Amino acid sequence: MIVELGHFALILAAVTALVQAIVPLVGAQMRWPGWMAVAEPAAGLQFLFASFSFAALTYAFVTSDFSVSLVTGNSHTLKPMLYKISGVWGNHEGSMLLWVLILTLFGACLAWFGGNLPPSIRSRALAIQGAVAVAFFAFILFTSNPFERMDAVPFDGRDLNPLLQDVGLALHPPFLYLGYVGLSMAFSFAIAALIEGRVDAAWGRWVRPWTLAAWVFLTIGIALGSWWAYYELGWGGFWFWDPVENASFMPWLLAAALLHSAIVVEKRESLKSWTILLAIMAFSFSLIGTFIVRSGVITSVHAFANDPERGVFILGILVFFTGGALTLFAARAGQMEAKGVFGVVSRESALVLNNILLAVACFVVFIGTIWPLVSEMFFERKLSVGAPFFNMAFTPFMVLLGLVLPVGAMLPWKRAKLGKVVKPLAPAFVLAVALGGLAWTIQGGRSLLGPVGLFLGAWLLMGAVIDLMSRTGRGALGDRIGRLSRLPRADWGKAVAHAGFGVTIFGIAGLMAWEQEDIRVAQLGQPYMVGAYEITLEGVRETEGPNYLTTMADIRVRKDGKDVTMLHPEKRVYPVAAMPTTEAAIDYRILRDVYLAIGDAQADGAYTVRTYIKPLTNWIWFGSFLMSLGGLLSLTDRRYRVAAGARKAPAGGVPAE
């Protein structure tokens, strides 16, 4: 009964979304306050229905209701409770239900907390959110019903994909979807502004918090997915330029560009057309990611490879919203005249350069991701675009971005003197160059990657510190440090996020440049050296987990004659899913990880063992955490809560100049 109620609630949510998409839009056009006012309760009601529907599906998984086809295909009675719950979104149908739940959540948040917005803008934005929801509710109800019953109820389920039975991947999709779907708010604000003909400083203030929240969630989601790939897949890498990884990375790049571009709209009323276009494209790339993951056009270890008919439906949604938005953008482009003028050397110019680098980097990733598909469809050639292409084509843009970021962050608005800005940064630049040179000397000149990464990381970190200190005025150092606590949180957020970017760059470069790898057949009790570490396979035993059988190794790690740790890598087999997995064992340290994975047994009783010494890996996760923390600090700035109401407009709106 609860399952049927969940299905009925999903239908009610779709009907409510349809009302929300039509009535407020007509009301805003006709200046009918009553019709515009429908948007707020409709958004709240839509979220309520979607929440009940999602809760009903969760109940079916928790209680192991195998009369539901989705539960049978993705659960099992022996599965731990955490993975029964995460199994709700560990499949196509359930994850799409989570997708629309988050979409309705953002719409409800706009209805609840958007009281300081002009009624016409709020109602139009909510109507666009409702239209997007209608499309995805239709997709679920007509092609991907999560509540479908089975004619014959099995005794037990077929279990969730063992690779997805992990804490990291249990958390990864919700955060990723909060970022993906959160960009729909920037899209809705952009379309509302185009319809109303209003793109001004106030609009920039309204769109920034939503974009920032989406970017923070995307950062957390991508970091969790990268961490999961690192320790769960047993390959020893944190990023493989997999199409599904790229699908989340492209919106992240555009969201970062949009975030910086919206600042220019807010502060200087410039880059209006570009910012609107970024808002459209950021959400469009989220839809492209959804298509890539769910259409079956690519294969990936964490893709929902489904039938092409579903892919065509998603492609139709993508074409409708992106095509419609770009058509409206073309029709209204002439009304978005920029007011602020600025010099070649100014913060505006630095942010334009920032946007160009991020947008071109996104385009490079997109070409590398989609080209194998294009080649196969139009040229009948199967190609593989791997890490060498992405590393070669993408890295220069991030290096340039890292170089200009500290300078651009300190440039004044409108016009600036470059020498005046560079002067306080000069000691940081010299020290960063010295650190890079030291790394080059110590490593013996093998590769520039590590030294350049250290230089950029130090340059960004020290640049962020100098930027903060420059905002404390003059006087004694102690007084200036005391003033730091009184700086706006947005200033702290920017500095922390930029520093996190530097830490991440250094971690990635150090790992790629200085990693040591050893793959061998290891005999029991015979030690071998990998770098400075002595590795000994001391024993292998068979044991059981809650829903799997495992071959577990006992491997001792020593350094300089002293024990470092005992690690226990595993090779698991899940009988129900009939699928093996490799569970790496990792000794996490600040400056390095020792990473071990056990392979197959050999005829003489030995085992294949993969050993990696991975320097600075944890700096990647720490840098991602700092970037997310910086975004959250900025999001809590009081100006985000009150500034949006600083400039109100009549219900009909004010045309942009």
Side-chain angles (χ1 to χ4, degrees):
M1 182 65 178
I2 291 179
V3 171
E4 280 69 30
L5 288 175
H7 191 192
F8 184 61
L10 190 63
I11 296 172
L12 290 178
V15 173
T16 308
L18 186 62
V19 173
Q20 181 182 326
I22 297 173
V23 176
L25 202 59
V26 174
Q29 189 66 29
M30 303 301 295
R31 310 286 183 92
W32 294 342
W35 284 46
M36 286 192 287
V38 169
E40 287 80 11
L45 195 60
Q46 186 188 158
F47 173 64
L48 181 65
F49 287 139
S51 298
F52 183 86
S53 181
F54 189 81
L57 185 62
T58 304
Y59 176 81
F61 270 84
V62 169
T63 58
S64 296
D65 185 355
F66 297 119
S67 67
V68 179
S69 177
L70 194 65
V71 179
T72 300
N74 296 276
S75 191
H76 191 271
T77 52
L78 296 179
K79 193 165 64 173
M81 181 57 68
L82 172 63
Y83 304 134
K84 287 185 178 182
I85 296 173
S86 64
V88 176
W89 55 80
N91 55 82
H92 166 72
E93 291 83 357
S95 64
M96 284 309 305
L97 188 57
L98 177 64
W99 211 101
V100 295
L101 173 66
I102 294 173
L103 182 67
T104 61
L105 171 62
F106 275 101
C109 286
L110 177 57
W112 296 334
F113 306 115
N116 54 358
L117 300 175
S120 59
I121 284 285
R122 185 171 69 250
S123 60
R124 283 185 168 118
L126 283 171
I128 301 304
Q129 282 289 112
V132 175
V134 168
F136 280 95
F137 279 127
F139 175 70
I140 293 175
L141 289 170
F142 294 131
T143 73
S144 310
N145 179 15
F147 298 103
E148 184 178 343
R149 294 281 194 180
M150 298 190 69
D151 294 330
V153 181
F155 178 75
D156 217 329
R158 295 192 291 271
D159 207 358
L160 179 67
N161 184 335
L163 290 175
L164 306 183
Q165 296 185 38
D166 180 83
V167 175
L169 212 65
L171 300 174
H172 164 65
F175 278 104
L176 202 62
Y177 290 178
L178 283 165
Y180 265 155
V181 183
L183 290 173
S184 67
M185 292 303 302
F187 177 84
S188 296
F189 271 111
I191 302 306
L194 287 173
I195 294 173
E196 187 154 326
R198 173 178 181 171
V199 183
D200 54 15
W203 180 87
R205 286 191 292 272
W206 299 331
V207 80
R208 276 182 66 195
W210 300 101
T211 304
L212 183 56
W215 181 84
V216 168
F217 286 129
L218 260 179
T219 304
I220 296 172
I222 290 172
L224 284 172
S226 175
W227 179 52
W228 167 80
Y230 172 66
Y231 70 80
E232 175 65 22
L233 298 183
W235 300 339
F238 69 98
W239 193 265
F240 304 96
W241 295 106
D242 180 278
V244 178
E245 293 175 334
N246 296 346
S248 60
F249 191 45
M250 291 184 288
W252 184 88
L253 291 168
L254 290 179
L258 172 60
L259 190 58
H260 291 85
S261 182
I263 297 173
V264 183
V265 177
E266 178 186 351
K267 301 293 185 183
R268 299 287 299 145
E269 294 208 34
S270 296
L271 303 185
K272 294 179 182 179
S273 297
W274 173 246
T275 305
I276 290 287
L277 183 60
L278 278 176
I280 293 170
M281 295 311 298
F283 181 59
S284 296
F285 268 87
S286 292
L287 295 179
I288 289 171
T290 304
F291 170 73
I292 287 174
V293 173
R294 300 172 189 278
S295 62
V297 298
I298 56 96
T299 56
S300 167
V301 70
H302 43 343
F304 296 108
N306 281 276
D307 57 276
E309 286 77 10
R310 289 173 174 173
V312 170
F313 200 118
I314 296 175
L315 188 61
I317 295 174
L318 169 65
V319 170
F320 176 80
F321 283 103
T322 302
L326 291 177
T327 301
L328 182 59
F329 172 79
R332 293 285 195 176
Q335 299 185 24
M336 292 181 286
E337 181 182 347
K339 289 184 177 180
V341 294
F342 51 88
V344 175
V345 180
S346 63
R347 182 173 296 188
E348 292 94 328
S349 294
L351 289 170
V352 169
L353 180 58
N354 162 290
N355 272 224
I356 291 172
L357 292 172
L358 288 169
V360 174
C362 176
F363 180 72
V364 167
V365 175
F366 176 70
I367 292 298
T369 303
I370 208 71
W371 185 250
L373 177 63
V374 173
S375 176
E376 186 172 353
M377 288 178 60
F378 295 102
F379 305 110
E380 297 183 353
R381 293 181 59 191
K382 289 192 175 183
L383 296 177
S384 176
V385 178
F389 165 81
F390 289 106
N391 292 338
M392 184 75 70
F394 177 82
T395 302
F397 298 105
M398 292 301 101
V399 172
L400 286 174
L401 184 63
L403 280 173
V404 303
L405 207 55
V407 178
M410 294 184 63
L411 286 171
W413 295 103
K414 197 171 182 179
R415 62 178 60 89
K417 293 183 178 179
L418 189 60
K420 187 177 180 180
V421 175
V422 169
K423 186 176 180 180
L425 286 168
F429 185 81
V430 171
L431 181 56
V433 170
L435 289 172
L438 179 63
W440 171 263
T441 303
I442 291 175
Q443 74 172 13
R446 288 180 298 170
S447 167
L448 272 175
L449 185 60
V452 169
L454 178 56
F455 158 72
L456 284 176
W459 168 237
L460 285 162
L461 183 60
M462 290 185 290
V465 173
I466 292 171
D467 182 24
L468 266 184
M469 292 302 297
S470 71
R471 300 174 187 279
T472 60
R474 299 182 179 180
L477 181 61
D479 293 336
R480 295 179 66 187
I481 292 176
R483 296 187 201 119
L484 285 173
S485 62
R486 298 192 292 274
L487 288 177
R489 291 181 187 174
D491 290 345
W492 273 100
K494 180 183 74 171
V496 171
H498 287 181
F501 182 53
V503 171
T504 300
I505 285 179
F506 178 45
I508 292 172
L511 173 61
M512 295 177 67
W514 301 320
E515 177 184 20
Q516 295 174 291
E517 177 182 355
D518 180 273
I519 303 176
R520 69 173 64 208
V521 175
Q523 301 289 338
L524 291 175
Q526 294 185 10
Y528 59 93
M529 299 297 295
V530 180
Y533 294 89
E534 179 184 283
I535 313 296
T536 307
L537 176 62
E538 296 196 343
V540 179
R541 48 202 163 90
E542 306 289 334
T543 185
E544 294 185 20
N547 60 334
Y548 59 83
L549 305 174
T550 181
T551 300
M552 182 181 294
D554 302 314
I555 301 180
R556 187 176 300 277
V557 180
R558 295 168 60 86
K559 183 180 181 182
D560 299 329
K562 298 178 181 178
D563 283 352
V564 174
T565 187
M566 177 73 80
L567 294 176
H568 307 284
E570 301 178 53
K571 193 171 183 64
R572 295 178 181 175
V573 175
Y574 290 76
V576 176
M579 180 176 176
T581 65
T582 298
E583 303 291 325
I586 306 172
D587 180 43
Y588 294 97
R589 301 293 170 97
I590 294 176
L591 295 179
R592 62 91 186 126
D593 287 352
V594 175
Y595 185 110
L596 294 169
I598 187 80
D600 296 327
Q602 305 299 306
D604 59 354
Y607 284 83
T608 305
V609 177
R610 295 198 303 277
T611 307
Y612 303 91
I613 310 300
K614 293 182 169 292
L616 305 176
T617 309
N618 295 300
W619 291 51
I620 301 173
W621 326 131
F622 182 61
S624 301
F625 166 76
L626 285 179
M627 284 191 282
S628 304
L629 177 62
L632 289 173
L633 284 172
S634 295
L635 202 56
T636 59
D637 193 303
R638 183 174 178 270
R639 291 176 294 181
Y640 277 130
R641 298 194 297 273
V642 301
R647 181 177 177 181
K648 297 230 180 212
V654 178
E657 296 183 69

